[in-house]
């Protein structure tokens, strides 16, 4: 089956905007795209569906790079709260896929508002919380929805781990303990990884017993999986950078609420991380791959949010950082992702950066930009059509 969309205002997100353009899809992949009228040869497929999008906007599907849809289920109360295993601060072995309720109405509402992919996973109760999953927002089973079942590993700094375990009179109850526990876990996982490798190379050495916790961290230590770090305050952000550099990790800074206060420092870290040796597990060579800001439409509900500023995405973007915008659903209902980007644009973010923050930059910070996030030949035809400009909430 082929699909031809013509006469649309096409926002490619890859550097071009066509006031009247077309996209041809074959077997679920973008086969051709360009300005003007499609060539006559594109009409030859007898199974082709043609959509005339005159006066409409065509763009890549929107992506929420950090949310908890399906894990904190909309309207179900405590029975639907499966996002925080608040009994052990180190749980890298957990997988979001095993807790997601595929019929959460948040998925339906996301799709209806043009959000076709989400990075969803555990909350921030734990120092290491487990795997995020990258999903489509349609599908009858979570397995069918999954684009990448184990897309990132979640870690958290700041008030949340302190509060959860401090209230139980357990560690961590301070920021020092949170950082120490993360380092200890990475060190133990590193030792485990080395022991496995030594046994593989030398048959006289005993292979260590399987350990699910440390096994889950091996891809993070090798730079094959992003460490997705929850951090709001400047000190927590900088501690995250310090530890990521110590272990040579690939990482994103999620929330990054006070990032605008240290935008120059983060921009410097981002530039340093571009070196080809960075983010591959070499000590001292971490790679910051992007910043995921938000939720933007919330109040200052706790102390570490008291310096939040809605201009944060604009300031970070202007500093040269690739910025994404999240809803943190259910904190902000997921359907308000494009509204969040529109608000960021109102506060000084360029239109191009605002659109990228919920498409191409969001795909990149989820390790999916080779497949999604822009209209380019060869990418998955994950497309949405809006009645008007996508950042106009009336569309």
């Amino acid at each position: 089956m082929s699909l031809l969309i013509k006469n649309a205002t096409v926002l490619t997100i890859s550097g071009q905007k066509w006031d009247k353009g077309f996209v041809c899809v074959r077997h679920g992949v973008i086969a051709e795209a360009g300005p003007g009228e499609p060539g006559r040869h594109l009409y030859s497929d007898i199974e082709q569906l043609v959509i005339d999008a005159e006066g409409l906007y065509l763009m890549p599907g929107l992506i929420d790079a950090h949310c908890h849809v399906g894990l904190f289920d909309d309207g179900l109360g405590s029975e639907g709260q499966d996002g925080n295993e608040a009994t052990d601060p180190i749980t890298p072995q957990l997988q979001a896929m095993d807790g997601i309720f595929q019929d959460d109405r948040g998925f339906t509402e996301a799709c209806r508002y043009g959000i076709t992919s989400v990075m969803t996973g555990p909350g921030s109760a734990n120092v290491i919380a487990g795997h995020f999953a990258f999903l489509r927002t349609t599908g009858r089973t979570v397995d069918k929805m999954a684009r990448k079942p184990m897309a990132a590993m979640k870690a958290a700094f700041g008030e949340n781990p302190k509060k959860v375990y401090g209230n139980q009179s357990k560690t961590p109850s301070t920021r020092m303990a949170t950082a120490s526990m993360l380092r200890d876990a990475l060190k133990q996982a590193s030792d485990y990884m080395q022991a496995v490798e030594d046994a593989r190379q030398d048959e006289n050495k005993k292979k260590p017993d399987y350990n699910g916790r440390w096994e889950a961290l091996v891809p993070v230590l090798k730079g094959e999986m992003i460490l997705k770090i929850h951090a709001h305050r400047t000190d927590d952000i900088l501690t995250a950078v310090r530890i990521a550099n110590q272990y040579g990790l690939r990482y994103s800074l999620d929330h990054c609420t006070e990032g605008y206060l240290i935008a120059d420092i983060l921009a410097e870290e981002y530039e340093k991380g571009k070196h080809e040796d960075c983010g591959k597990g070499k000590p001292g060579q971490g790679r910051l791959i992007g910043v995921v800001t938000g939720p933007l439409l919330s109040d200052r509900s706790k102390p570490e949010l008291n310096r939040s500023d809605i201009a944060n995405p604009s300031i970070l973007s202007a500093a040269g950082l690739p910025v994404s915008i999240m809803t943190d659903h259910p904190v902000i209902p997921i359907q308000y992702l494009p509204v969040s980007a529109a608000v960021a644009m109102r506060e000084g973010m360029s239109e191009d950066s605002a659109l990228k923050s919920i498409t191409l930059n969001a795909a990149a910070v989820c390790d999916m930009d080779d497949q999604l996030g822009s209209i380019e030949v060869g990418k998955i035809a994950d497309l949405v059509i809006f009645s008007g400009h996508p950042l106009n909430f009336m569309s």
Side-chain angles (χ1 to χ4, degrees), residues 303-316:
E304 64 185 1
L305 300 182
N306 67 6
R307 293 197 290 181
S308 64
D309 193 312
I310 205 160
N312 187 37
S314 174
I315 294 169
L316 290 169

PDB file of all heavy atoms in Angstrom, residues 303-316:
ATOM      1  N   PRO A 303      10.515  22.908  46.842  1.00  0.00           N
ATOM      2  CA  PRO A 303      11.656  23.823  46.932  1.00  0.00           C
ATOM      3  C   PRO A 303      12.583  23.811  45.725  1.00  0.00           C
ATOM      4  O   PRO A 303      13.046  24.878  45.285  1.00  0.00           O
ATOM      5  CB  PRO A 303      12.378  23.364  48.202  1.00  0.00           C
ATOM      6  CG  PRO A 303      11.295  22.816  49.055  1.00  0.00           C
ATOM      7  CD  PRO A 303      10.335  22.155  48.103  1.00  0.00           C
ATOM      8  N   GLU A 304      12.866  22.641  45.151  1.00  0.00           N
ATOM      9  CA  GLU A 304      13.817  22.613  44.045  1.00  0.00           C
ATOM     10  C   GLU A 304      13.241  23.189  42.757  1.00  0.00           C
ATOM     11  O   GLU A 304      13.952  23.297  41.760  1.00  0.00           O
ATOM     12  CB  GLU A 304      14.356  21.200  43.820  1.00  0.00           C
ATOM     13  CG  GLU A 304      13.341  20.178  43.400  1.00  0.00           C
ATOM     14  CD  GLU A 304      13.938  18.755  43.323  1.00  0.00           C
ATOM     15  OE1 GLU A 304      15.136  18.602  43.615  1.00  0.00           O
ATOM     16  OE2 GLU A 304      13.191  17.832  42.991  1.00  0.00           O
ATOM     17  N   LEU A 305      11.984  23.593  42.788  1.00  0.00           N
ATOM     18  CA  LEU A 305      11.366  24.260  41.640  1.00  0.00           C
ATOM     19  C   LEU A 305      11.209  25.761  41.858  1.00  0.00           C
ATOM     20  O   LEU A 305      10.652  26.446  40.994  1.00  0.00           O
ATOM     21  CB  LEU A 305       9.992  23.655  41.344  1.00  0.00           C
ATOM     22  CG  LEU A 305       9.936  22.165  40.996  1.00  0.00           C
ATOM     23  CD1 LEU A 305       8.501  21.750  40.693  1.00  0.00           C
ATOM     24  CD2 LEU A 305      10.843  21.834  39.831  1.00  0.00           C
ATOM     25  N   ASN A 306      11.695  26.262  42.989  1.00  0.00           N
ATOM     26  CA  ASN A 306      11.365  27.664  43.308  1.00  0.00           C
ATOM     27  C   ASN A 306      12.071  28.675  42.421  1.00  0.00           C
ATOM     28  O   ASN A 306      11.729  29.850  42.435  1.00  0.00           O
ATOM     29  CB  ASN A 306      11.595  27.972  44.803  1.00  0.00           C
ATOM     30  CG  ASN A 306      13.060  27.918  45.201  1.00  0.00           C
ATOM     31  OD1 ASN A 306      13.944  27.763  44.375  1.00  0.00           O
ATOM     32  ND2 ASN A 306      13.305  28.037  46.493  1.00  0.00           N
ATOM     33  N   ARG A 307      13.055  28.235  41.633  1.00  0.00           N
ATOM     34  CA  ARG A 307      13.678  29.154  40.679  1.00  0.00           C
ATOM     35  C   ARG A 307      13.369  28.744  39.237  1.00  0.00           C
ATOM     36  O   ARG A 307      14.096  29.113  38.307  1.00  0.00           O
ATOM     37  CB  ARG A 307      15.195  29.206  40.907  1.00  0.00           C
ATOM     38  CG  ARG A 307      15.574  29.843  42.244  1.00  0.00           C
ATOM     39  CD  ARG A 307      17.035  30.269  42.275  1.00  0.00           C
ATOM     40  NE  ARG A 307      17.953  29.135  42.301  1.00  0.00           N
ATOM     41  CZ  ARG A 307      19.283  29.259  42.357  1.00  0.00           C
ATOM     42  NH1 ARG A 307      19.840  30.467  42.365  1.00  0.00           N
ATOM     43  NH2 ARG A 307      20.042  28.180  42.389  1.00  0.00           N
ATOM     44  N   SER A 308      12.307  27.998  39.062  1.00  0.00           N
ATOM     45  CA  SER A 308      11.926  27.618  37.697  1.00  0.00           C
ATOM     46  C   SER A 308      11.547  28.857  36.897  1.00  0.00           C
ATOM     47  O   SER A 308      10.992  29.818  37.429  1.00  0.00           O
ATOM     48  CB  SER A 308      10.760  26.627  37.719  1.00  0.00           C
ATOM     49  OG  SER A 308       9.613  27.212  38.261  1.00  0.00           O
ATOM     50  N   ASP A 309      11.851  28.837  35.622  1.00  0.00           N
ATOM     51  CA  ASP A 309      11.580  29.966  34.734  1.00  0.00           C
ATOM     52  C   ASP A 309      11.134  29.404  33.388  1.00  0.00           C
ATOM     53  O   ASP A 309      11.810  28.558  32.807  1.00  0.00           O
ATOM     54  CB  ASP A 309      12.834  30.823  34.566  1.00  0.00           C
ATOM     55  CG  ASP A 309      12.547  32.169  33.910  1.00  0.00           C
ATOM     56  OD1 ASP A 309      11.841  32.178  32.877  1.00  0.00           O
ATOM     57  OD2 ASP A 309      13.037  33.193  34.410  1.00  0.00           O
ATOM     58  N   ILE A 310      10.008  29.891  32.917  1.00  0.00           N
ATOM     59  CA  ILE A 310       9.440  29.340  31.689  1.00  0.00           C
ATOM     60  C   ILE A 310      10.297  29.653  30.465  1.00  0.00           C
ATOM     61  O   ILE A 310      10.141  29.042  29.403  1.00  0.00           O
ATOM     62  CB  ILE A 310       7.986  29.834  31.507  1.00  0.00           C
ATOM     63  CG1 ILE A 310       7.200  28.848  30.646  1.00  0.00           C
ATOM     64  CG2 ILE A 310       7.953  31.241  30.947  1.00  0.00           C
ATOM     65  CD1 ILE A 310       5.714  28.972  30.797  1.00  0.00           C
ATOM     66  N   ALA A 311      11.260  30.572  30.617  1.00  0.00           N
ATOM     67  CA  ALA A 311      12.181  30.885  29.528  1.00  0.00           C
ATOM     68  C   ALA A 311      13.356  29.903  29.467  1.00  0.00           C
ATOM     69  O   ALA A 311      14.220  30.025  28.592  1.00  0.00           O
ATOM     70  CB  ALA A 311      12.711  32.307  29.675  1.00  0.00           C
ATOM     71  N   ASN A 312      13.395  28.922  30.364  1.00  0.00           N
ATOM     72  CA  ASN A 312      14.508  27.980  30.435  1.00  0.00           C
ATOM     73  C   ASN A 312      14.829  27.323  29.085  1.00  0.00           C
ATOM     74  O   ASN A 312      15.991  27.319  28.654  1.00  0.00           O
ATOM     75  CB  ASN A 312      14.202  26.919  31.502  1.00  0.00           C
ATOM     76  CG  ASN A 312      15.362  25.993  31.780  1.00  0.00           C
ATOM     77  OD1 ASN A 312      16.516  26.398  31.772  1.00  0.00           O
ATOM     78  ND2 ASN A 312      15.067  24.733  32.050  1.00  0.00           N
ATOM     79  N   PRO A 313      13.844  26.750  28.374  1.00  0.00           N
ATOM     80  CA  PRO A 313      14.177  26.119  27.077  1.00  0.00           C
ATOM     81  C   PRO A 313      14.784  27.099  26.081  1.00  0.00           C
ATOM     82  O   PRO A 313      15.717  26.750  25.351  1.00  0.00           O
ATOM     83  CB  PRO A 313      12.830  25.593  26.577  1.00  0.00           C
ATOM     84  CG  PRO A 313      11.959  25.525  27.772  1.00  0.00           C
ATOM     85  CD  PRO A 313      12.414  26.604  28.687  1.00  0.00           C
ATOM     86  N   SER A 314      14.270  28.320  26.075  1.00  0.00           N
ATOM     87  CA  SER A 314      14.775  29.329  25.145  1.00  0.00           C
ATOM     88  C   SER A 314      16.222  29.679  25.456  1.00  0.00           C
ATOM     89  O   SER A 314      17.068  29.771  24.547  1.00  0.00           O
ATOM     90  CB  SER A 314      13.901  30.587  25.229  1.00  0.00           C
ATOM     91  OG  SER A 314      14.443  31.624  24.440  1.00  0.00           O
ATOM     92  N   ILE A 315      16.542  29.851  26.740  1.00  0.00           N
ATOM     93  CA  ILE A 315      17.901  30.229  27.142  1.00  0.00           C
ATOM     94  C   ILE A 315      18.879  29.096  26.841  1.00  0.00           C
ATOM     95  O   ILE A 315      19.978  29.327  26.319  1.00  0.00           O
ATOM     96  CB  ILE A 315      17.926  30.607  28.630  1.00  0.00           C
ATOM     97  CG1 ILE A 315      17.102  31.886  28.857  1.00  0.00           C
ATOM     98  CG2 ILE A 315      19.353  30.802  29.133  1.00  0.00           C
ATOM     99  CD1 ILE A 315      16.838  32.205  30.313  1.00  0.00           C
ATOM    100  N   LEU A 316      18.493  27.868  27.148  1.00  0.00           N
ATOM    101  CA  LEU A 316      19.368  26.721  26.889  1.00  0.00           C
ATOM    102  C   LEU A 316      19.587  26.529  25.390  1.00  0.00           C
ATOM    103  O   LEU A 316      20.691  26.224  24.945  1.00  0.00           O
ATOM    104  CB  LEU A 316      18.769  25.460  27.507  1.00  0.00           C
ATOM    105  CG  LEU A 316      18.780  25.404  29.039  1.00  0.00           C
ATOM    106  CD1 LEU A 316      17.925  24.253  29.541  1.00  0.00           C
ATOM    107  CD2 LEU A 316      20.204  25.281  29.573  1.00  0.00           C
TER     108      LEU A 316
END
